[in-house]
Amino acid sequence: MTITVKTRKIYDEFLDFIAKGTTPEELTNFQFSDKVKEEIEDLVYRAKNAEITKEEKQQLDELVLIEHLIVMAKAKACQYLKSSFQKV
């Protein structure tokens, strides 16, 4: 898979968050910056209105994959928190 420059920025925002060190609580609360959210919303809007290029469609597909990975990471963090809480 080829990751485009714009997608890499979004991907890097999440990687920076993880690399700085995080707790399961912080991970479950992670959200992209407003700027990134706007970029994603713009791509989704244009895709729904058939105003998207082939490259942008690929970029949107990559963003969906990244979002899926983040959701899975948040789910794992919630499981960890739940099991840690039950041990107390």
Side-chain angles (χ1 to χ4, degrees):
M1 171 179 19
T2 303
I3 297 178
T4 61
V5 174
K6 195 176 212 180
T7 304
R8 188 172 296 134
K9 287 182 193 175
I10 294 169
Y11 188 79
D12 283 345
E13 186 171 315
F14 182 68
L15 287 180
D16 289 344
F17 170 77
I18 297 295
K20 289 177 185 174
T22 186
T23 65
E25 293 90 353
E26 291 170 332
L27 178 56
T28 60
N29 293 319
F30 172 80
Q31 290 191 21
F32 284 115
S33 66
D34 289 343
K35 181 180 179 184
V36 168
K37 287 179 187 178
E38 288 174 12
E39 291 174 7
I40 294 169
E41 288 173 8
D42 179 58
L43 280 175
V44 170
Y45 174 83
R46 290 188 297 113
K48 286 181 179 180
N49 291 291
E51 301 171 359
I52 197 167
T53 67
K54 184 178 178 179
E55 182 181 87
E56 290 169 330
K57 171 67 171 114
Q58 179 184 352
Q59 183 178 37
L60 188 55
D61 291 343
E62 292 166 356
L63 290 171
V64 168
L65 176 60
I66 292 166
E67 178 66 19
H68 180 70
L69 292 172
I70 292 170
V71 167
M72 289 178 13
K74 286 182 173 190
K76 288 284 189 181
C78 285
Q79 287 176 345
Y80 176 81
L81 288 170
K82 186 177 179 181
S83 68
S84 295
F85 181 72
Q86 290 174 349
K87 292 178 184 177
V88 175

